[in-house]
Amino acid sequence: MKRITAFVLITLVLLSVCACSKTESTAPDDTAAQQQDVEITIPKSLISEQASTELTEEQKSMGFKSASLNEDGSLTLVIAESEYDTLMQKLKQNTADSLESIVTDGTYPSVKDIEYNDDFSKITLIVEQQSFDEGLDSLSTLVAGLAGTIYQVYNGADADKLTVTIDIKDLSTGNVFKTVHYPQDMEQ
């Protein structure tokens, strides 16, 4: 449970610099080559009540230029496109590492393997079904869903269409015995 709490806290920190949608615009520049910026809009449902429009030194060093709260409660961040690309490369690796840790760190012993697509919108947990059903390892779907959601948000997914499909497949039979759609199934 401590690992889940720690993951959620880390996620909240990440969400302070994450993306929901990105749009390119040109920044005014007197030179012929204009720097492009990426706008990152985080939906209200993914930010804390204490969201700040003041950038931290760390955010500034990552290339973020500004932050603003929108009327709908979402938060928009602006980052240089070149810095955004670097951020996305690091986030992709961190997301893959987080998903792999579901298998390797021992917190979810029935989870034996994990597969995922390039944008983390489809994740498959390969498990020992009986152990999975009898224990608390189903919490691994929450961790997987959250990791996939964070990546999609940064990657510009539409907040209204955001979903991570998590198939849970039995190791011995190869059959998918449960499918979770994150975050939709969590809202029920």
Side-chain angles (χ1 to χ4, degrees), residues 3-183:
R3 292 188 67 81
I4 292 172
T5 303
F7 185 79
V8 170
L9 290 174
I10 290 168
T11 300
L12 291 175
V13 171
L14 285 175
L15 287 175
S16 71
V17 294
C18 72
C20 174
S21 62
K22 62 180 184 178
T23 56
E24 295 179 3
S25 62
T26 54
D29 193 345
D30 292 341
T31 64
Q34 294 187 347
Q35 171 75 34
Q36 292 196 351
D37 291 336
V38 176
E39 285 187 0
I40 300 168
T41 302
I42 306 164
K44 180 181 178 179
S45 62
L46 295 179
I47 60 174
S48 70
E49 293 293 321
Q50 295 82 23
S52 174
T53 58
E54 237 178 89
L55 295 175
T56 64
E57 289 305 315
E58 182 180 8
Q59 289 168 326
K60 290 176 186 176
S61 72
M62 293 170 69
F64 286 95
K65 296 179 174 185
S66 66
S68 58
L69 282 173
N70 303 312
E71 286 184 21
D72 65 357
S74 63
L75 179 70
T76 298
L77 300 167
V78 176
I79 186 171
E81 184 176 34
S82 60
E83 300 297 332
Y84 174 78
D85 293 341
T86 301
L87 181 70
M88 288 306 299
Q89 290 173 358
K90 289 178 183 176
L91 181 60
K92 187 170 209 156
Q93 184 60 53
N94 290 343
T95 303
D97 291 347
S98 292
L99 291 174
E100 293 298 333
S101 75
I102 292 172
V103 175
T104 61
D105 75 2
T107 302
Y108 309 103
S110 72
V111 181
K112 300 303 180 187
D113 201 3
I114 190 164
E115 299 169 347
Y116 43 86
N117 64 357
D118 197 47
D119 70 354
F120 306 103
S121 63
K122 177 106 169 111
I123 299 170
T124 301
L125 299 175
I126 301 163
V127 305
E128 293 175 339
Q129 184 175 356
Q130 184 174 354
S131 298
F132 184 87
D133 286 340
E134 292 174 354
L136 295 176
D137 288 4
S138 62
L139 292 174
S140 62
T141 60
L142 179 65
V143 175
L146 192 55
T149 298
I150 291 168
Y151 183 82
Q152 286 187 41
V153 166
Y154 272 89
N155 201 35
D158 182 347
D160 295 331
K161 297 177 183 175
L162 184 65
T163 190
V164 178
T165 301
I166 305 164
D167 286 333
I168 304 158
K169 184 190 295 188
D170 182 47
L171 177 65
S172 63
T173 66
N175 294 330
V176 172
F177 64 91
K178 184 174 184 178
T179 299
V180 175
H181 301 280
Y182 187 92

